[in-house]
Amino acid sequence: MRRYIRALLLCTVFAVFSGLYVYSKLFNTDVSAGGHGARRAFIPLRGTGGRRGSAVRAGPQKPHWYNRYIMRQSGGVEDAGSGVRRRPEPTMHLAVVACGERLEETLTMIKSAVLFSVKRLYLHVFAEDQLHASFVGTLESWPDSFRSRFNYTVYSISFPSENAGEWKKLFKPCASQRLFLPLILKDIDSIVYVDSDILFLQPVDGLWDFLSQFSPSQLAAMSPEHEEPRIAWYSRFARHPFYGRTGINSGVMLMNMTRMRSTFFKNDMTRVGLRWEELLMPLLQKYKLNITWGDQDLLNIIFHHNPEFLLEFPCKWNYRPDHCIYGSNCASAEEDGIYVLHGNRGVYHDYKQPAFRAVYEAIKKYSFGSDPVASLLDPLTEELLKTTHTYCGKSNALFTKRLALSLENINRKTPHGR
């Protein structure tokens, strides 16, 4: 009798394990059959419904204050019918933060980036929740010939929960979000961060190419705050350490975030180096009564103590009213034209610097697919001639020199009409 019971038990165990094996094979087959070609998707750790071109929430969640998004990309794309796999097209990552009334301004910046860029873009848009639907609706409404050039994700604004209020009001609403990009976008290697008041007059590709110029120690790139120390803000008024002779402007910032996450930064608070996430709050606590420009001042302090980590790029990549308001003082722009226009101090929306406003209005009004020379360059050139009563307007040729070359390139590759 015992012999029969043992045989029955062995048969039962064998049947159970066989069933599990068959089930696992069926399950894996079903998962692997879900698609082909190159697909990109952001998948939240907790089911928040993130997908390409969707608004996702990145608010505080346990055990972390941020919600991580993992970008999965297939190893290659298979050409139809050939069976030959090729490398996926390289993607540039561009980040921007939009709060308050910055929706239209941010969309105009994105429009300029998409219009000129050569390689594909992945946009990381950090915005207040009430702006998400407007971002998604506008981006999805663009013609397919331009919409196919980029993917995007819209995130909620997210700061460390214990100091969220302090970080959010540090300077302009949400501006200090950029400091936490390496900690939120943990699976992105490098990124271009720009303020919402940036306009690209040259493909983002040229800025992205500075990554190849980084030395083994460099992990970020920015332009100087000014070219002339005698009239520069930091050299005259700063009450804290700053980078170089004139400080740096963080409106355009290229980051190797992998290096930023792994580096120990020298500082004036402790003899040991601190990682990025360990450095930010102590710096704020030490200097918050002495900083004027918020997160930009904190970056100046960090790179004052770690100058070997920073690559400077020329002012033509971050051209502001300061470069022309008292006369032209950006040599690289005088030689090559303006590559990236930075309309800080709200100059796109008032009449104090009409040359800057003219460029913003021209790009904002341009309709995708229409002739870029007739619909953008020619009207802008005419409008800039009306601004020569200002110092910046006297340099109006700098505003269109590079733009004209960029428009020639898109005119050759873009079909007219929707």
Side-chain angles (χ1 to χ4, degrees), residues 250-267:
S250 60
V252 180
M253 183 178 181
L254 181 61
M255 295 184 255
N256 182 319
M257 300 195 295
T258 299
R259 292 183 181 181
M260 293 176 74
R261 287 186 286 261
S262 62
T263 297
F264 288 91
F265 293 83
K266 298 187 292 292
N267 59 89

Side-chain angles (χ1 to χ4, degrees), residues 42 51-55 122 136-137 139-140 147 151-154:
F42 277 84
R51 57 182 175 85
R52 189 198 73 164
S54 65
Y122 204 111
V136 173
L139 295 176
E140 291 296 337
R147 177 64 188 86
N151 286 344
Y152 67 94
T153 303
V154 180

Side-chain angles (χ1 to χ4, degrees), residues 18 45 53 75 87 104 145 150 164 181 185 213 246 278 306 317 320 351 384 401 403:
S18 297
L45 288 185
R87 291 180 178 274
E104 184 178 70
S145 57
F150 67 95
L181 296 184
L185 303 176
Q213 300 181 28
T246 63
E278 302 168 329
N306 303 272
W317 289 101
R320 295 169 291 112
Y351 293 93
L384 284 171
K401 184 175 183 178
L403 177 63

Side-chain angles (χ1 to χ4, degrees), residues 146-160:
F146 292 92
R147 177 64 188 86
S148 62
R149 299 181 185 182
F150 67 95
N151 286 344
Y152 67 94
T153 303
V154 180
Y155 306 83
S156 293
I157 300 297
S158 175
F159 293 110

Side-chain angles (χ1 to χ4, degrees), residues 10-224:
L10 286 173
C11 291
T12 302
V13 170
F14 178 80
V16 169
F17 278 101
S18 297
L20 289 173
Y21 175 78
V22 171
Y23 176 80
S24 66
K25 295 297 285 184
L26 288 172
F27 177 79
N28 289 333
T29 300
D30 185 59
V31 170
S32 63
H36 62 279
R39 294 199 175 192
R40 294 176 176 86
F42 277 84
I43 305 175
L45 288 185
R46 300 169 188 257
T48 60
R51 57 182 175 85
R52 189 198 73 164
S54 65
V56 297
R57 302 187 180 275
Q61 292 187 8
K62 296 180 180 180
H64 302 294
W65 60 267
Y66 56 84
N67 189 12
R68 296 172 53 206
Y69 291 86
I70 304 170
M71 188 175 77
R72 293 181 177 177
Q73 181 173 317
S74 60
V77 181
E78 186 173 309
D79 288 334
S82 68
V84 177
R85 295 181 69 80
R86 57 183 172 83
R87 291 180 178 274
E89 182 183 8
T91 299
M92 302 176 294
H93 292 268
L94 179 66
V96 66
V97 178
C99 286
E101 299 179 352
R102 298 282 180 156
L103 172 67
E104 184 178 70
E105 184 177 89
T106 306
L107 287 168
T108 305
M109 180 280 293
I110 294 173
K111 187 179 188 179
S112 72
V114 171
L115 193 59
F116 302 127
S117 293
V118 179
K119 292 193 287 287
R120 286 185 63 81
L121 278 170
Y122 204 111
L123 306 172
H124 302 267
V125 181
F126 289 80
E128 292 176 308
D129 291 352
Q130 65 268 25
L131 300 179
H132 288 196
S134 296
F135 272 112
V136 173
T138 301
L139 295 176
E140 291 296 337
S141 72
W142 287 355
D144 290 343
S145 57
F146 292 92
R147 177 64 188 86
S148 62
R149 299 181 185 182
F150 67 95
N151 286 344
Y152 67 94
T153 303
V154 180
Y155 306 83
S156 293
I157 300 297
S158 175
F159 293 110
S161 57
E162 62 271 21
N163 306 105
E166 193 167 5
W167 283 115
K168 186 168 183 178
K169 66 182 181 182
L170 179 60
F171 183 48
K172 294 179 181 178
C174 311
S176 57
Q177 179 75 80
R178 86 185 79 185
L179 296 176
F180 300 96
L181 296 184
L183 310 180
I184 298 172
L185 303 176
K186 277 188 170 291
D187 300 282
I188 306 299
D189 176 71
S190 298
I191 205 162
V192 174
Y193 166 85
V194 294
D195 286 346
S196 61
D197 52 9
I198 291 295
L199 290 173
F200 289 95
L201 308 182
Q202 149 88 14
V204 181
D205 306 60
L207 193 58
W208 188 259
D209 287 344
F210 277 107
L211 286 168
S212 65
Q213 300 181 28
F214 278 16
S215 71
S217 65
Q218 288 170 337
L219 48 76
M222 285 178 274
S223 67

